[in-house]
Amino acid sequence: MENRLHNFNAGPAALPLPVLEEIKENFLSFRGSGMSITEISHRSAQFEEVLDDAIQRTRRLLNLTDEYHVLFIQGGASMQFCMVPMNLALPGKPLNYIDTGVWSAKAIKEARQQVQEVKVIASSEDRGFSYIPYDYCVDKEASYLHFTSNNTIRGTQWHQFPDGDGVPLIADMSSDLMSRPLDIQPFGMIYAGAQKNIGPSGIAMAIIRDDMLNRVPHNLPSMLKYTSHKENRSLYNTPPTFAIYVIDLVLAWLEDTVGGLGRIEEMNRQKASLIYEVIDNSEIYQGTAEPSSRSLMNITFRLSDENTKERFLVEAKNNGLQGLNGHRSAGGCRASLYNAVTVESTESLAAFMREFEESFT
Ligand SMILES: Cc1ncc(COP(=O)(O)O)c(C=O)c1O
């Protein structure tokens, strides 16, 4: 399509083109209603159908059993950093966290504002968050063990989730939920800001197990209680209806067009290996994550100096390749290869990286 760039943004990020086209086509009259999806009541049958479809598709894609509830909550993933300890800390029991970088650290900071005993049982800070720390010991009496499944900024990912040894796991899956199949059983809860693999920003998908809801203290503000959102099927107040509509379209694309999470994982592996292969055979690109911890979603690398990096970014942009600058806290470069980034876009990036390197020699 004309004027569309190859989009490697970290979030908000690329959405599937068929989804954007469908939004455009139906924007003025949603399913023949004569009104836009942004103009109809969140309590109308039409919107309820959208919401229900998004929930059912999530249930099917992730193989959720009846004990799990799918919720949509405003405030992005950052709101979950405080809602998780507020709702799910058990009185007198410690919270366990694993620190793999900025997002984990933010979750830990919010937990410390709610609960006295927050233990960081493992951290990869000693080597610049370049790896996933598999060496840890979980407190048997911990309320939960929290970790970040994919470190968007440093480009590391848990390929085997931590073993909670009976303690419920809680994971911030903002940058890899729906990118691979998931065994939900050890999780008390997972959550994700939507703006990477699921939809627009400002909303989080939260999936919570029934027994965790018994922990919610009565005296919390209603909007901050998981029980309010569960009892009202994410319609406690007016939800971001447009965002939920887009999420439903993205999930429909994932389920019906792509063919589910097994298939998307294969595609994500194929894309990531195209770029890691360039890095591993290069004299000028250095991957920043340790190979066994490398993310399939966010590929982080450095060039020899700032001038070369700037030249790389400018030339990439001139070639229609957008969003390759690293996070401001990490520097370097980053290619985010979320579900909606096509194999073709990734091939264009790999080819450009090779050409750029050749122009040096
Ligand atoms: C892993 C992770 N957690 C949390 C966040 C914060 O999400 P939000 O901006 O929706 O609060 C991000 C955003 O990039 C993220 O990558």
Side-chain angles (χ1 to χ4, degrees), residues 10-11 75-79 81 103-104 148-153 172-175 191-196 201-204 338:
S78 299
M79 183 66 95
F81 295 162
W103 299 115
S104 311
T148 313
S149 56
N150 182 74
N151 179 352
T152 325
I153 293 176
D172 171 2
M173 296 198 173
S174 291
S175 47
Y191 61 92
Q195 65 271 24
K196 286 97 166 48
S201 59
I203 186 168
Y338 300 124

Side-chain angles (χ1 to χ4, degrees), residues 252-316:
W253 167 81
L254 192 52
E255 192 177 19
D256 302 341
T257 308
V258 174
L261 297 187
R263 180 69 191 117
I264 201 77
E265 183 184 26
E266 281 172 31
M267 289 161 74
N268 287 332
R269 282 191 185 285
Q270 184 192 352
K271 290 184 299 182
S273 66
L274 285 170
I275 305 301
Y276 284 126
E277 208 174 286
V278 175
I279 291 172
D280 289 341
N281 292 302
S282 158
E283 302 280 312
I284 67 164
Y285 306 110
Q286 292 126 35
T288 60
E290 294 185 11
S292 62
S293 299
R294 281 173 164 176
S295 168
L296 299 183
M297 296 281 98
N298 311 97
I299 300 190
T300 50
F301 55 96
R302 292 189 177 283
L303 286 122
S304 52
D305 56 59
E306 276 303 300
N307 285 343
T308 314
K309 176 188 144 180
E310 286 313 316
R311 209 183 112 195
F312 174 82
L313 292 175
V314 168
E315 287 187 25

Side-chain angles (χ1 to χ4, degrees), residues 111-227:
R112 288 203 161 123
Q113 280 173 359
Q114 306 294 329
V115 174
Q116 246 182 354
E117 203 184 341
V118 178
K119 259 201 226 172
V120 177
I121 60 164
S123 166
S124 51
E125 190 172 10
D126 58 344
R127 296 205 296 276
F129 298 113
S130 60
Y131 69 104
I132 294 295
Y134 282 104
D135 200 10
Y136 51 83
C137 188
V138 184
D139 282 328
K140 285 236 172 315
E141 76 282 13
S143 295
Y144 59 75
L145 168 60
H146 180 284
F147 68 100
T148 313
S149 56
N150 182 74
N151 179 352
T152 325
I153 293 176
R154 299 286 174 172
T156 59
Q157 187 173 28
W158 288 83
H159 295 295
Q160 198 184 342
F161 293 138
D163 179 359
D165 201 14
V167 168
L169 301 180
I170 297 187
D172 171 2
M173 296 198 173
S174 291
S175 47
D176 66 354
L177 183 62
M178 299 290 178
S179 71
R180 53 180 171 172
L182 174 70
D183 172 14
I184 194 82
Q185 280 316 311
F187 289 92
M189 183 189 160
I190 59 176
Y191 61 92
Q195 65 271 24
K196 286 97 166 48
N197 277 317
I198 306 175
S201 59
I203 186 168
M205 176 184 278
I207 299 172
I208 187 159
R209 205 171 57 204
D210 216 34
D211 60 298
M212 303 299 282
L213 294 170
N214 298 331
R215 300 180 176 197
V216 177
H218 293 292
N219 59 351
L220 289 183
S222 303
M223 276 295 282
L224 298 180
K225 279 167 128 168
Y226 290 128
T227 41

